[in-house]
PDB file of all heavy atoms in Angstrom:
ATOM      1  N   GLN C 168      -0.575  48.025   8.631  1.00 93.00           N
ATOM      2  CA  GLN C 168      -1.760  48.164   7.793  1.00 93.00           C
ATOM      3  C   GLN C 168      -1.509  47.550   6.421  1.00 93.00           C
ATOM      4  O   GLN C 168      -0.425  47.660   5.870  1.00 93.00           O
ATOM      5  CB  GLN C 168      -2.129  49.646   7.654  1.00 93.00           C
ATOM      6  CG  GLN C 168      -2.649  50.204   8.961  1.00 93.00           C
ATOM      7  CD  GLN C 168      -2.910  51.691   8.911  1.00 93.00           C
ATOM      8  OE1 GLN C 168      -2.354  52.401   8.097  1.00 93.00           O
ATOM      9  NE2 GLN C 168      -3.775  52.163   9.794  1.00 93.00           N
ATOM     10  N   THR C 169      -2.559  46.911   5.884  1.00 92.00           N
ATOM     11  CA  THR C 169      -2.382  46.236   4.590  1.00 92.00           C
ATOM     12  C   THR C 169      -3.469  46.631   3.605  1.00 92.00           C
ATOM     13  O   THR C 169      -4.570  47.011   3.998  1.00 92.00           O
ATOM     14  CB  THR C 169      -2.444  44.704   4.757  1.00 92.00           C
ATOM     15  OG1 THR C 169      -3.724  44.364   5.277  1.00 92.00           O
ATOM     16  CG2 THR C 169      -1.355  44.213   5.670  1.00 92.00           C
ATOM     17  N   PHE C 170      -3.157  46.524   2.342  1.00 91.00           N
ATOM     18  CA  PHE C 170      -4.083  46.927   1.295  1.00 91.00           C
ATOM     19  C   PHE C 170      -4.023  45.943   0.131  1.00 91.00           C
ATOM     20  O   PHE C 170      -3.043  45.242  -0.022  1.00 91.00           O
ATOM     21  CB  PHE C 170      -3.745  48.351   0.823  1.00 91.00           C
ATOM     22  CG  PHE C 170      -3.664  49.304   1.971  1.00 91.00           C
ATOM     23  CD1 PHE C 170      -2.442  49.645   2.521  1.00 91.00           C
ATOM     24  CD2 PHE C 170      -4.823  49.803   2.550  1.00 91.00           C
ATOM     25  CE1 PHE C 170      -2.377  50.487   3.624  1.00 91.00           C
ATOM     26  CE2 PHE C 170      -4.761  50.634   3.651  1.00 91.00           C
ATOM     27  CZ  PHE C 170      -3.534  50.974   4.189  1.00 91.00           C
ATOM     28  N   PRO C 171      -5.096  45.936  -0.693  1.00 89.00           N
ATOM     29  CA  PRO C 171      -5.109  44.988  -1.810  1.00 89.00           C
ATOM     30  C   PRO C 171      -3.927  45.211  -2.742  1.00 89.00           C
ATOM     31  O   PRO C 171      -3.570  46.352  -3.045  1.00 89.00           O
ATOM     32  CB  PRO C 171      -6.424  45.296  -2.526  1.00 89.00           C
ATOM     33  CG  PRO C 171      -7.259  46.040  -1.565  1.00 89.00           C
ATOM     34  CD  PRO C 171      -6.333  46.732  -0.624  1.00 89.00           C
ATOM     35  N   TYR C 172      -3.344  44.119  -3.207  1.00 87.00           N
ATOM     36  CA  TYR C 172      -2.160  44.187  -4.069  1.00 87.00           C
ATOM     37  C   TYR C 172      -2.403  45.033  -5.308  1.00 87.00           C
ATOM     38  O   TYR C 172      -1.560  45.835  -5.706  1.00 87.00           O
ATOM     39  CB  TYR C 172      -1.779  42.762  -4.475  1.00 87.00           C
ATOM     40  CG  TYR C 172      -0.717  42.695  -5.524  1.00 87.00           C
ATOM     41  CD1 TYR C 172       0.606  42.959  -5.216  1.00 87.00           C
ATOM     42  CD2 TYR C 172      -1.048  42.360  -6.837  1.00 87.00           C
ATOM     43  CE1 TYR C 172       1.578  42.899  -6.190  1.00 87.00           C
ATOM     44  CE2 TYR C 172      -0.071  42.303  -7.804  1.00 87.00           C
ATOM     45  CZ  TYR C 172       1.236  42.570  -7.482  1.00 87.00           C
ATOM     46  OH  TYR C 172       2.197  42.515  -8.455  1.00 87.00           O
ATOM     47  N   ASP C 173      -3.576  44.827  -5.958  1.00 81.00           N
ATOM     48  CA  ASP C 173      -3.839  45.503  -7.216  1.00 81.00           C
ATOM     49  C   ASP C 173      -3.939  47.015  -7.074  1.00 81.00           C
ATOM     50  O   ASP C 173      -3.912  47.723  -8.057  1.00 81.00           O
ATOM     51  CB  ASP C 173      -5.149  44.974  -7.831  1.00 81.00           C
ATOM     52  CG  ASP C 173      -4.983  43.525  -8.269  1.00 81.00           C
ATOM     53  OD1 ASP C 173      -3.870  43.146  -8.654  1.00 81.00           O
ATOM     54  OD2 ASP C 173      -5.975  42.782  -8.206  1.00 81.00           O
ATOM     55  N   ALA C 174      -4.143  47.492  -5.862  1.00 85.00           N
ATOM     56  CA  ALA C 174      -4.380  48.926  -5.711  1.00 85.00           C
ATOM     57  C   ALA C 174      -3.367  49.559  -4.768  1.00 85.00           C
ATOM     58  O   ALA C 174      -3.559  50.662  -4.285  1.00 85.00           O
ATOM     59  CB  ALA C 174      -5.792  49.142  -5.187  1.00 85.00           C
ATOM     60  N   TYR C 175      -2.275  48.862  -4.535  1.00 88.00           N
ATOM     61  CA  TYR C 175      -1.320  49.298  -3.519  1.00 88.00           C
ATOM     62  C   TYR C 175      -0.684  50.649  -3.825  1.00 88.00           C
ATOM     63  O   TYR C 175      -0.637  51.535  -2.977  1.00 88.00           O
ATOM     64  CB  TYR C 175      -0.237  48.218  -3.382  1.00 88.00           C
ATOM     65  CG  TYR C 175       0.672  48.405  -2.222  1.00 88.00           C
ATOM     66  CD1 TYR C 175       0.212  48.309  -0.928  1.00 88.00           C
ATOM     67  CD2 TYR C 175       2.021  48.679  -2.415  1.00 88.00           C
ATOM     68  CE1 TYR C 175       1.053  48.478   0.142  1.00 88.00           C
ATOM     69  CE2 TYR C 175       2.870  48.854  -1.349  1.00 88.00           C
ATOM     70  CZ  TYR C 175       2.389  48.740  -0.069  1.00 88.00           C
ATOM     71  OH  TYR C 175       3.235  48.913   0.985  1.00 88.00           O
ATOM     72  N   GLN C 176      -0.232  50.817  -5.053  1.00 87.00           N
ATOM     73  CA  GLN C 176       0.450  52.075  -5.395  1.00 87.00           C
ATOM     74  C   GLN C 176      -0.480  53.264  -5.278  1.00 87.00           C
ATOM     75  O   GLN C 176      -0.070  54.358  -4.884  1.00 87.00           O
ATOM     76  CB  GLN C 176       1.012  52.001  -6.808  1.00 87.00           C
ATOM     77  CG  GLN C 176       2.195  51.084  -6.919  1.00 87.00           C
ATOM     78  CD  GLN C 176       2.971  51.342  -8.192  1.00 87.00           C
ATOM     79  OE1 GLN C 176       3.763  52.267  -8.273  1.00 87.00           O
ATOM     80  NE2 GLN C 176       2.738  50.524  -9.192  1.00 87.00           N
ATOM     81  N   GLN C 177      -1.750  53.072  -5.644  1.00 85.00           N
ATOM     82  CA  GLN C 177      -2.721  54.160  -5.596  1.00 85.00           C
ATOM     83  C   GLN C 177      -2.831  54.674  -4.164  1.00 85.00           C
ATOM     84  O   GLN C 177      -2.925  55.861  -3.915  1.00 85.00           O
ATOM     85  CB  GLN C 177      -4.108  53.688  -6.024  1.00 85.00           C
ATOM     86  CG  GLN C 177      -4.226  53.292  -7.464  1.00 85.00           C
ATOM     87  CD  GLN C 177      -3.624  51.950  -7.754  1.00 85.00           C
ATOM     88  OE1 GLN C 177      -2.424  51.733  -7.602  1.00 85.00           O
ATOM     89  NE2 GLN C 177      -4.456  51.033  -8.191  1.00 85.00           N
ATOM     90  N   LYS C 178      -2.852  53.715  -3.247  1.00 87.00           N
ATOM     91  CA  LYS C 178      -2.969  54.037  -1.844  1.00 87.00           C
ATOM     92  C   LYS C 178      -1.816  54.941  -1.404  1.00 87.00           C
ATOM     93  O   LYS C 178      -2.026  55.973  -0.791  1.00 87.00           O
ATOM     94  CB  LYS C 178      -2.905  52.700  -1.098  1.00 87.00           C
ATOM     95  CG  LYS C 178      -3.400  52.644   0.279  1.00 87.00           C
ATOM     96  CD  LYS C 178      -4.809  53.029   0.454  1.00 87.00           C
ATOM     97  CE  LYS C 178      -4.918  53.603   1.848  1.00 87.00           C
ATOM     98  NZ  LYS C 178      -6.138  54.233   2.128  1.00 87.00           N
ATOM     99  N   VAL C 179      -0.616  54.531  -1.774  1.00 86.00           N
ATOM    100  CA  VAL C 179       0.556  55.310  -1.374  1.00 86.00           C
ATOM    101  C   VAL C 179       0.560  56.670  -2.056  1.00 86.00           C
ATOM    102  O   VAL C 179       0.836  57.698  -1.437  1.00 86.00           O
ATOM    103  CB  VAL C 179       1.854  54.538  -1.729  1.00 86.00           C
ATOM    104  CG1 VAL C 179       3.068  55.370  -1.403  1.00 86.00           C
ATOM    105  CG2 VAL C 179       1.891  53.218  -0.975  1.00 86.00           C
ATOM    106  N   ALA C 180       0.219  56.682  -3.351  1.00 83.00           N
ATOM    107  CA  ALA C 180       0.234  57.928  -4.127  1.00 83.00           C
ATOM    108  C   ALA C 180      -0.661  58.976  -3.487  1.00 83.00           C
ATOM    109  O   ALA C 180      -0.357  60.159  -3.494  1.00 83.00           O
ATOM    110  CB  ALA C 180      -0.219  57.655  -5.556  1.00 83.00           C
ATOM    111  N   ALA C 181      -1.774  58.549  -2.929  1.00 83.00           N
ATOM    112  CA  ALA C 181      -2.710  59.502  -2.330  1.00 83.00           C
ATOM    113  C   ALA C 181      -2.296  59.872  -0.923  1.00 83.00           C
ATOM    114  O   ALA C 181      -2.431  61.024  -0.505  1.00 83.00           O
ATOM    115  CB  ALA C 181      -4.111  58.897  -2.324  1.00 83.00           C
ATOM    116  N   ALA C 182      -1.757  58.887  -0.187  1.00 85.00           N
ATOM    117  CA  ALA C 182      -1.548  59.090   1.247  1.00 85.00           C
ATOM    118  C   ALA C 182      -0.377  59.995   1.606  1.00 85.00           C
ATOM    119  O   ALA C 182      -0.532  60.915   2.403  1.00 85.00           O
ATOM    120  CB  ALA C 182      -1.382  57.736   1.927  1.00 85.00           C
ATOM    121  N   ILE C 183       0.769  59.741   1.052  1.00 80.00           N
ATOM    122  CA  ILE C 183       1.959  60.453   1.517  1.00 80.00           C
ATOM    123  C   ILE C 183       1.886  61.969   1.330  1.00 80.00           C
ATOM    124  O   ILE C 183       2.220  62.703   2.254  1.00 80.00           O
ATOM    125  CB  ILE C 183       3.229  59.832   0.908  1.00 80.00           C
ATOM    126  CG1 ILE C 183       3.366  58.393   1.428  1.00 80.00           C
ATOM    127  CG2 ILE C 183       4.457  60.651   1.258  1.00 80.00           C
ATOM    128  CD1 ILE C 183       4.653  57.717   1.108  1.00 80.00           C
ATOM    129  N   PRO C 184       1.432  62.469   0.191  1.00 77.00           N
ATOM    130  CA  PRO C 184       1.337  63.928   0.058  1.00 77.00           C
ATOM    131  C   PRO C 184       0.406  64.547   1.096  1.00 77.00           C
ATOM    132  O   PRO C 184       0.531  65.719   1.420  1.00 77.00           O
ATOM    133  CB  PRO C 184       0.748  64.141  -1.337  1.00 77.00           C
ATOM    134  CG  PRO C 184       0.890  62.865  -2.028  1.00 77.00           C
ATOM    135  CD  PRO C 184       1.009  61.791  -1.027  1.00 77.00           C
TER     136      PRO C 184
END
Side-chain angles (χ1 to χ4, degrees):
Chain C
Q168 290 175 337
T169 61
F170 308 98
Y172 171 75
D173 292 329
Y175 190 66
Q176 288 197 80
Q177 293 76 297
K178 199 59 209 170
V179 176
I183 296 189

